[in-house]
Amino acid sequence: MRDGFGRDISYLRLSVTDRCNYRCRYCMPAEGVCKRRREEILSVEDCIAVAAAAAACGVTKVRVTGGEPLVRRGIVEICRGIAALPQIRELCLTTNGSLLPQLAGPLREAGVDRLNISLDTLRPTRFAALTRGGRLEDALAGLAAAEAAGFRQLKLNVVLLGGVNDDEIADFAALTREKPWQVRFIELMPMGPCADWPRERFLSADAVLSRCPALQPVGASGVAELYRLPGAAGTVGLIRPLSHRFCGGCDRIRVTADGRLKPCLHQAAEYPLRGLRGEALEAAIRAAVAAKPRGHRLADEGHSRAQRDMNEIGG
């Protein structure tokens, strides 16, 4: 499935809920968000149908997102249904990890291949402040549960926050010395609650290379530039939505929890899918892909035009 610029679209990020058990400062307002009614959200069957239609159009990789996908009732059934689709070669899930002690095993059994775990600090007090009430010990227990369930090459997503967690860059990179993990530092994007934050909060991923001069380049994985510390078991990834434009190779589409396809994260355009089935659903997906823009223009305009917070779109 190709878009209007010849890019092969093979990656679906499917949000299954806009709810979360955290209120991370860069993602959600302190008071939370207006919760959608159950009938507005894709059902378990809808989620599987969207993935199946996308697979029929050429998608081979699905990432299940939220909000926090593990708070979604039926999450294991959703994953099992998607994993059973013959065209899907890789099923991944992004989570804050807090519910993995209960769900890592069932997710692995259901067919989830890989987990990304969001973790922006290794300091308990700072963790509670950033998440507005979360406990670091829960996230760390989730990491341990994921490993125990057989998820080996975990990816840790660390959003770079200038003046907030950049003093922990070396600590995060050091995790890769003994663990075969990929610690991925992600540039903060000007959208949602942080769109008007001070400029110093938006740190270039180059700060990682400055703080860890021993890192050596070892290639790339998707949109992440990969580096390795000498002798380390894992890698460090840099994801640069601001300082490096990777729109030219973008292979993804996003479907929100209320069933709207976004061809581009940072543009307002959305295409309704909820209620469609079969050929009509496939046709709607192809039409949305055909309208995918050349780029997000984030660096040019200085802010996202997504018109939704990240928890509503899918991380």
Side-chain angles (χ1 to χ4, degrees):
M1 177 170 55
R2 295 188 178 276
D3 68 6
F5 299 95
R7 293 171 294 199
D8 183 21
I9 307 304
S10 59
Y11 181 8
L12 167 66
R13 298 176 72 99
L14 175 63
S15 176
V16 296
T17 182
D18 59 351
R19 301 187 183 193
C20 187
N21 53 345
Y22 289 168
R23 297 286 182 272
C24 292
R25 293 181 178 275
Y26 56 81
C27 183
M28 298 175 71
E31 65 276 12
V33 296
C34 181
K35 296 178 180 178
R36 296 183 182 275
R37 300 188 306 273
R38 179 177 294 182
E39 57 268 26
E40 296 180 275
I41 300 297
L42 294 174
S43 68
V44 169
E45 294 76 16
D46 289 336
C47 290
I48 297 170
V50 167
C57 292
V59 163
T60 59
K61 176 180 178 180
V62 175
R63 176 174 299 281
V64 175
T65 70
E68 169 49 49
L70 300 192
V71 305
R72 167 65 194 262
R73 186 175 300 174
I75 183 60
V76 173
E77 289 73 20
I78 291 170
C79 291
R80 182 176 290 112
I82 296 173
L85 298 171
Q87 304 97 325
I88 300 303
R89 299 174 189 166
E90 186 176 23
L91 174 61
C92 310
L93 184 144
T94 296
T95 173
N96 62 37
S98 62
L99 298 177
L100 283 175
Q102 303 97 302
L103 288 169
L107 289 169
R108 185 67 171 167
E109 183 276 330
V112 176
D113 298 302
R114 190 159 47 77
L115 295 176
N116 284 31
I117 299 176
S118 300
L119 185 64
D120 298 321
T121 177
L122 297 170
R123 302 181 183 180
T125 301
R126 182 176 289 174
F127 187 95
L130 280 174
T131 61
R132 295 191 176 101
R135 302 193 313 166
L136 177 61
E137 62 195 84
D138 294 335
L140 297 180
L143 274 168
E147 287 197 305
F151 292 103
R152 296 291 174 234
Q153 295 181 324
L154 296 171
K155 293 185 177 181
L156 270 60
N157 291 343
V158 184
V159 176
L160 284 168
L161 302 166
V164 178
N165 67 353
D166 51 317
D167 57 342
E168 297 185 65
I169 288 174
D171 295 335
F172 272 110
L175 295 177
T176 68
R177 291 190 182 277
E178 303 298 330
K179 296 287 189 179
W181 298 345
Q182 184 185 129
V183 174
R184 308 184 335 152
F185 294 96
I186 305 170
E187 292 176 342
L188 178 67
M189 295 179 287
M191 63 185 299
C194 64
D196 298 321
W197 281 8
R199 182 179 296 273
E200 57 266 25
R201 291 287 180 270
F202 297 88
L203 199 64
S204 167
D206 286 338
V208 176
L209 302 179
S210 297
R211 304 288 178 88
C212 303
L215 286 171
Q216 296 296 316
V218 291
S221 174
V223 297
E225 305 165 17
L226 295 185
Y227 295 80
R228 192 185 303 273
L229 292 169
T235 56
V236 170
L238 305 184
I239 299 180
R240 306 173 180 262
L242 287 179
S243 65
H244 175 72
R245 304 178 187 183
F246 40 71
C247 296
C250 183
D251 61 353
R252 67 189 60 184
I253 51 176
R254 297 171 185 262
V255 173
T256 64
D258 58 345
R260 303 184 72 84
L261 191 156
K262 289 185 72 69
C264 176
L265 168 61
H266 294 294
Q267 296 297 318
E270 299 180 351
Y271 297 80
L273 303 182
R274 192 162 58 88
L276 300 179
R277 285 292 190 273
E279 292 183 0
L281 181 53
E282 292 177 27
I285 291 172
R286 292 185 185 278
V289 166
K292 186 175 174 69
R294 183 184 294 275
H296 56 50
R297 302 179 64 187
L298 194 59
D300 299 328
E301 297 179 356
H303 63 90
S304 173
R305 293 185 177 273
Q307 297 185 355
R308 294 203 199 206
D309 291 340
M310 198 64 176
N311 70 289
E312 297 178 286
I313 299 171

